[in-house]
Amino acid sequence: MKAAQIIPILRIFDYQKTIEFYIDWLGFEISWEHHFEENTPVYMEVKKNNIILHLSEHHGDASPGSSIFIWGEGVAEYHKELIDKKYKYNRPGLEKTFYEAVSFTVNDPFGNKIIFNEKFDEAKHKDLKFYSID
């Protein structure tokens, strides 16, 4: 078997907080939403470039507190874009990891983590200021 695409499902609890975090702050867009009928939980797809996530209010679809690890490019620039928005609930630090990546983690309002990573390149990333826990 060869996978064509992998789409993680994250548990959410509040539609408005979901929109504030994923759409307004992270810059995803809603591809589609589904409700079985009026006043039932939402199941939705959001995307940002080629990152696709499914977000579900249905309790059996996923466990809160999940983590997603994403490799990509432009991580430092995306980090700056998010910091510049001054979102009051999340100000992630940029770090150089032990696995030689430029990385930052965001925590959604429902306990899920998204970890954005880019392979460290000395020439490209030499002037970055990293968060340090020393």
Side-chain angles (χ1 to χ4, degrees):
M1 191 219 128
K2 180 181 176 185
Q5 185 175 25
I6 298 167
I7 302 173
I9 303 170
L10 295 174
R11 179 78 156 93
I12 58 171
F13 298 98
D14 181 290
Y15 183 83
Q16 291 302 54
K17 286 186 184 299
T18 299
I19 298 304
E20 178 184 309
F21 182 82
Y22 285 95
I23 308 307
D24 299 340
W25 187 53
L26 290 183
F28 282 74
E29 61 185 56
I30 297 171
S31 300
W32 50 261
E33 295 182 10
H34 177 265
H35 294 266
F36 283 105
E37 57 188 54
E38 189 176 327
N39 199 35
T40 61
V42 68
Y43 188 95
M44 64 195 306
E45 179 178 281
V46 297
K47 68 177 183 169
K48 181 170 179 61
N49 301 318
N50 66 339
I51 302 169
I52 297 175
L53 305 175
H54 283 189
L55 307 174
S56 178
E57 288 182 315
H58 296 271
H59 95 276
D61 285 345
S63 298
S66 296
S67 296
I68 299 173
F69 187 99
I70 299 171
W71 281 111
E73 296 177 6
V75 167
E77 295 82 3
Y78 184 44
H79 175 264
K80 182 180 179 339
E81 175 187 324
L82 295 179
I83 293 299
D84 288 348
K85 289 183 180 182
K86 298 190 185 318
Y87 180 57
K88 73 180 188 177
Y89 299 113
N90 219 307
R91 303 260 175 98
L94 189 65
E95 66 177 307
K96 182 179 175 200
T97 68
F98 67 90
Y99 50 89
E100 294 298 311
V102 172
S103 179
F104 71 94
T105 301
V106 297
N107 300 291
D108 82 3
F110 319 107
N112 301 302
K113 289 197 268 190
I114 305 173
I115 308 154
F116 296 96
N117 298 273
E118 178 177 355
K119 288 288 186 190
F120 181 78
D121 178 298
E122 182 64 42
K124 181 178 179 181
H125 299 121
K126 65 181 170 30
D127 295 328
L128 292 177
K129 302 277 189 260
F130 293 110
Y131 169 75
S132 176
I133 56 174
D134 303 312

